[in-house]
Amino acid sequence: MARPEVRACKFIVILISLQSMIRVFAISQNSEEHAPEVHCSRERSRAAYKIVEEYLIPFVEKENYQMSQKCKLHPGNDIFRDQEDHKIHVDVNEWRCGYCKKSFRAEKFIDQHFDNRHSNLLNVSEGNCFAELCGALHCDHVMNSAVPKTKCNPAAATRNRHLCESLADSCFPVHQGPSAGRLHELFLRQFCDAHTCSGRVKPFARGGKKHTNIFYLAISILILMLLPIFYLIVFLYQREMRKGTQVLRRISKQSLKKKPS
């Protein structure tokens, strides 16, 4: 039989192991219970960010204006921005996670991967959900462009206009100088004026970022590649023509000589 001291040591070892397992389980449960819940649409946040990038940032850069971090339109206030920046679009059917290098067939799958594996990297703080700005920024106009428009709700249009004007006031205070004043006016024309049920004013009236047309770019490159070949063909053709003319001249001179009698 084992001595009492040995049995006591074994009991202590087992007890310590059980305590360690309970502690690890408690920590994991506690972390899951206190994991921040994200009530923000990734898809609508992405749409709002793209609208800001397309129809506002080019004008802000042109004015060399620095938006305050307190401005809800500031790119740093997008809860999903770090994850979106780590999304690598390799090919049509391949997306890669910039954190762990895993590959996915579609964007929706990498979005699910971010939610399941990298949610701890979200910039969770109050007021940084870009989806909340969709009413002011016309996200539905961009996301549902192919869907028939529903009947306009005057109350919703008024509410979105107030949100839009508050963004213009907070992000581009007119008292901060001429650049802020011009951007304030532009924001009203670009986004806020279209919040009406009249249908006369369309969103993004001032246009947006200029895109290079891929078709015309491809045609231009093709022309530049074929131009040297065309000039080479013309050069060779003209050289052959000159050679042919010289041969004809020599034949003509010989035929004019009188034959000896």
PDB file of all heavy atoms in Angstrom, residues 135-152:
ATOM      1  N   GLY A 135     -28.576  57.073 -43.684  1.00  0.00           N
ATOM      2  CA  GLY A 135     -29.730  57.913 -44.000  1.00  0.00           C
ATOM      3  C   GLY A 135     -29.330  59.228 -44.629  1.00  0.00           C
ATOM      4  O   GLY A 135     -29.957  59.695 -45.587  1.00  0.00           O
ATOM      5  N   ALA A 136     -28.274  59.826 -44.113  1.00  0.00           N
ATOM      6  CA  ALA A 136     -27.805  61.109 -44.648  1.00  0.00           C
ATOM      7  C   ALA A 136     -27.060  60.950 -45.958  1.00  0.00           C
ATOM      8  O   ALA A 136     -27.114  61.825 -46.826  1.00  0.00           O
ATOM      9  CB  ALA A 136     -26.908  61.799 -43.621  1.00  0.00           C
ATOM     10  N   LEU A 137     -26.372  59.811 -46.133  1.00  0.00           N
ATOM     11  CA  LEU A 137     -25.466  59.638 -47.274  1.00  0.00           C
ATOM     12  C   LEU A 137     -26.086  58.913 -48.467  1.00  0.00           C
ATOM     13  O   LEU A 137     -25.396  58.639 -49.442  1.00  0.00           O
ATOM     14  CB  LEU A 137     -24.215  58.880 -46.825  1.00  0.00           C
ATOM     15  CG  LEU A 137     -23.376  59.560 -45.742  1.00  0.00           C
ATOM     16  CD1 LEU A 137     -22.215  58.664 -45.339  1.00  0.00           C
ATOM     17  CD2 LEU A 137     -22.866  60.912 -46.211  1.00  0.00           C
ATOM     18  N   HIS A 138     -27.359  58.553 -48.388  1.00  0.00           N
ATOM     19  CA  HIS A 138     -28.065  57.902 -49.513  1.00  0.00           C
ATOM     20  C   HIS A 138     -27.501  56.520 -49.831  1.00  0.00           C
ATOM     21  O   HIS A 138     -27.306  56.169 -50.998  1.00  0.00           O
ATOM     22  CB  HIS A 138     -28.015  58.781 -50.771  1.00  0.00           C
ATOM     23  CG  HIS A 138     -28.511  60.173 -50.569  1.00  0.00           C
ATOM     24  ND1 HIS A 138     -29.856  60.501 -50.602  1.00  0.00           N
ATOM     25  CD2 HIS A 138     -27.845  61.338 -50.313  1.00  0.00           C
ATOM     26  CE1 HIS A 138     -30.001  61.804 -50.384  1.00  0.00           C
ATOM     27  NE2 HIS A 138     -28.795  62.331 -50.201  1.00  0.00           N
ATOM     28  N   CYS A 139     -27.242  55.724 -48.806  1.00  0.00           N
ATOM     29  CA  CYS A 139     -26.732  54.366 -49.037  1.00  0.00           C
ATOM     30  C   CYS A 139     -27.709  53.524 -49.848  1.00  0.00           C
ATOM     31  O   CYS A 139     -27.300  52.750 -50.715  1.00  0.00           O
ATOM     32  CB  CYS A 139     -26.445  53.670 -47.709  1.00  0.00           C
ATOM     33  SG  CYS A 139     -25.069  54.377 -46.784  1.00  0.00           S
ATOM     34  N   ASP A 140     -29.008  53.674 -49.558  1.00  0.00           N
ATOM     35  CA  ASP A 140     -30.004  52.876 -50.278  1.00  0.00           C
ATOM     36  C   ASP A 140     -30.000  53.205 -51.768  1.00  0.00           C
ATOM     37  O   ASP A 140     -30.232  52.328 -52.604  1.00  0.00           O
ATOM     38  CB  ASP A 140     -31.404  53.111 -49.697  1.00  0.00           C
ATOM     39  CG  ASP A 140     -31.531  52.538 -48.291  1.00  0.00           C
ATOM     40  OD1 ASP A 140     -30.853  51.535 -48.020  1.00  0.00           O
ATOM     41  OD2 ASP A 140     -32.290  53.088 -47.489  1.00  0.00           O
ATOM     42  N   HIS A 141     -29.728  54.445 -52.094  1.00  0.00           N
ATOM     43  CA  HIS A 141     -29.668  54.860 -53.501  1.00  0.00           C
ATOM     44  C   HIS A 141     -28.546  54.130 -54.226  1.00  0.00           C
ATOM     45  O   HIS A 141     -28.682  53.772 -55.399  1.00  0.00           O
ATOM     46  CB  HIS A 141     -29.448  56.374 -53.579  1.00  0.00           C
ATOM     47  CG  HIS A 141     -29.313  56.894 -54.975  1.00  0.00           C
ATOM     48  ND1 HIS A 141     -30.390  57.160 -55.782  1.00  0.00           N
ATOM     49  CD2 HIS A 141     -28.207  57.184 -55.720  1.00  0.00           C
ATOM     50  CE1 HIS A 141     -29.973  57.590 -56.957  1.00  0.00           C
ATOM     51  NE2 HIS A 141     -28.652  57.612 -56.950  1.00  0.00           N
ATOM     52  N   VAL A 142     -27.444  53.884 -53.527  1.00  0.00           N
ATOM     53  CA  VAL A 142     -26.293  53.208 -54.126  1.00  0.00           C
ATOM     54  C   VAL A 142     -26.459  51.695 -54.078  1.00  0.00           C
ATOM     55  O   VAL A 142     -26.211  50.993 -55.065  1.00  0.00           O
ATOM     56  CB  VAL A 142     -24.994  53.628 -53.397  1.00  0.00           C
ATOM     57  CG1 VAL A 142     -23.810  52.816 -53.895  1.00  0.00           C
ATOM     58  CG2 VAL A 142     -24.745  55.112 -53.590  1.00  0.00           C
ATOM     59  N   MET A 143     -26.906  51.169 -52.938  1.00  0.00           N
ATOM     60  CA  MET A 143     -26.991  49.714 -52.760  1.00  0.00           C
ATOM     61  C   MET A 143     -28.137  49.095 -53.537  1.00  0.00           C
ATOM     62  O   MET A 143     -28.041  47.971 -54.008  1.00  0.00           O
ATOM     63  CB  MET A 143     -27.142  49.382 -51.271  1.00  0.00           C
ATOM     64  CG  MET A 143     -25.957  49.800 -50.422  1.00  0.00           C
ATOM     65  SD  MET A 143     -26.271  49.588 -48.649  1.00  0.00           S
ATOM     66  CE  MET A 143     -26.344  47.799 -48.533  1.00  0.00           C
ATOM     67  N   ASN A 144     -29.231  49.822 -53.678  1.00  0.00           N
ATOM     68  CA  ASN A 144     -30.428  49.276 -54.325  1.00  0.00           C
ATOM     69  C   ASN A 144     -30.742  49.996 -55.627  1.00  0.00           C
ATOM     70  O   ASN A 144     -31.895  50.269 -55.943  1.00  0.00           O
ATOM     71  CB  ASN A 144     -31.635  49.376 -53.375  1.00  0.00           C
ATOM     72  CG  ASN A 144     -31.373  48.706 -52.049  1.00  0.00           C
ATOM     73  OD1 ASN A 144     -30.723  47.679 -51.996  1.00  0.00           O
ATOM     74  ND2 ASN A 144     -31.871  49.288 -50.976  1.00  0.00           N
ATOM     75  N   SER A 145     -29.680  50.317 -56.379  1.00  0.00           N
ATOM     76  CA  SER A 145     -29.883  51.079 -57.612  1.00  0.00           C
ATOM     77  C   SER A 145     -30.709  50.312 -58.634  1.00  0.00           C
ATOM     78  O   SER A 145     -31.401  50.906 -59.466  1.00  0.00           O
ATOM     79  CB  SER A 145     -28.525  51.449 -58.220  1.00  0.00           C
ATOM     80  OG  SER A 145     -27.753  50.279 -58.437  1.00  0.00           O
ATOM     81  N   ALA A 146     -30.658  48.953 -58.601  1.00  0.00           N
ATOM     82  CA  ALA A 146     -31.397  48.152 -59.575  1.00  0.00           C
ATOM     83  C   ALA A 146     -32.797  47.787 -59.091  1.00  0.00           C
ATOM     84  O   ALA A 146     -33.587  47.218 -59.831  1.00  0.00           O
ATOM     85  CB  ALA A 146     -30.633  46.869 -59.884  1.00  0.00           C
ATOM     86  N   VAL A 147     -33.099  48.128 -57.832  1.00  0.00           N
ATOM     87  CA  VAL A 147     -34.408  47.784 -57.263  1.00  0.00           C
ATOM     88  C   VAL A 147     -35.371  48.950 -57.462  1.00  0.00           C
ATOM     89  O   VAL A 147     -34.989  50.110 -57.294  1.00  0.00           O
ATOM     90  CB  VAL A 147     -34.259  47.469 -55.756  1.00  0.00           C
ATOM     91  CG1 VAL A 147     -35.621  47.138 -55.145  1.00  0.00           C
ATOM     92  CG2 VAL A 147     -33.288  46.327 -55.555  1.00  0.00           C
ATOM     93  N   PRO A 148     -36.620  48.682 -57.862  1.00  0.00           N
ATOM     94  CA  PRO A 148     -37.585  49.766 -58.022  1.00  0.00           C
ATOM     95  C   PRO A 148     -37.711  50.580 -56.742  1.00  0.00           C
ATOM     96  O   PRO A 148     -37.773  50.034 -55.637  1.00  0.00           O
ATOM     97  CB  PRO A 148     -38.897  49.025 -58.354  1.00  0.00           C
ATOM     98  CG  PRO A 148     -38.455  47.700 -58.889  1.00  0.00           C
ATOM     99  CD  PRO A 148     -37.185  47.366 -58.199  1.00  0.00           C
ATOM    100  N   LYS A 149     -37.772  51.883 -56.879  1.00  0.00           N
ATOM    101  CA  LYS A 149     -37.835  52.768 -55.733  1.00  0.00           C
ATOM    102  C   LYS A 149     -39.194  52.671 -55.045  1.00  0.00           C
ATOM    103  O   LYS A 149     -40.229  52.577 -55.694  1.00  0.00           O
ATOM    104  CB  LYS A 149     -37.573  54.222 -56.168  1.00  0.00           C
ATOM    105  CG  LYS A 149     -36.265  54.419 -56.913  1.00  0.00           C
ATOM    106  CD  LYS A 149     -35.066  54.056 -56.060  1.00  0.00           C
ATOM    107  CE  LYS A 149     -33.758  54.250 -56.823  1.00  0.00           C
ATOM    108  NZ  LYS A 149     -32.593  53.834 -56.045  1.00  0.00           N
ATOM    109  N   THR A 150     -39.153  52.701 -53.692  1.00  0.00           N
ATOM    110  CA  THR A 150     -40.396  52.703 -52.931  1.00  0.00           C
ATOM    111  C   THR A 150     -40.922  54.131 -52.835  1.00  0.00           C
ATOM    112  O   THR A 150     -40.217  55.097 -53.129  1.00  0.00           O
ATOM    113  CB  THR A 150     -40.152  52.131 -51.524  1.00  0.00           C
ATOM    114  OG1 THR A 150     -39.128  52.909 -50.883  1.00  0.00           O
ATOM    115  CG2 THR A 150     -39.707  50.676 -51.603  1.00  0.00           C
ATOM    116  N   LYS A 151     -42.149  54.240 -52.402  1.00  0.00           N
ATOM    117  CA  LYS A 151     -42.772  55.559 -52.276  1.00  0.00           C
ATOM    118  C   LYS A 151     -42.038  56.374 -51.225  1.00  0.00           C
ATOM    119  O   LYS A 151     -41.706  55.884 -50.146  1.00  0.00           O
ATOM    120  CB  LYS A 151     -44.242  55.394 -51.904  1.00  0.00           C
ATOM    121  CG  LYS A 151     -45.012  56.703 -51.921  1.00  0.00           C
ATOM    122  CD  LYS A 151     -46.480  56.464 -51.631  1.00  0.00           C
ATOM    123  CE  LYS A 151     -47.242  57.789 -51.644  1.00  0.00           C
ATOM    124  NZ  LYS A 151     -48.684  57.585 -51.345  1.00  0.00           N
ATOM    125  N   CYS A 152     -41.798  57.630 -51.526  1.00  0.00           N
ATOM    126  CA  CYS A 152     -41.036  58.498 -50.630  1.00  0.00           C
ATOM    127  C   CYS A 152     -41.840  58.779 -49.361  1.00  0.00           C
ATOM    128  O   CYS A 152     -43.041  59.054 -49.407  1.00  0.00           O
ATOM    129  CB  CYS A 152     -40.692  59.802 -51.357  1.00  0.00           C
ATOM    130  SG  CYS A 152     -39.750  60.956 -50.337  1.00  0.00           S
TER     131      CYS A 152
END
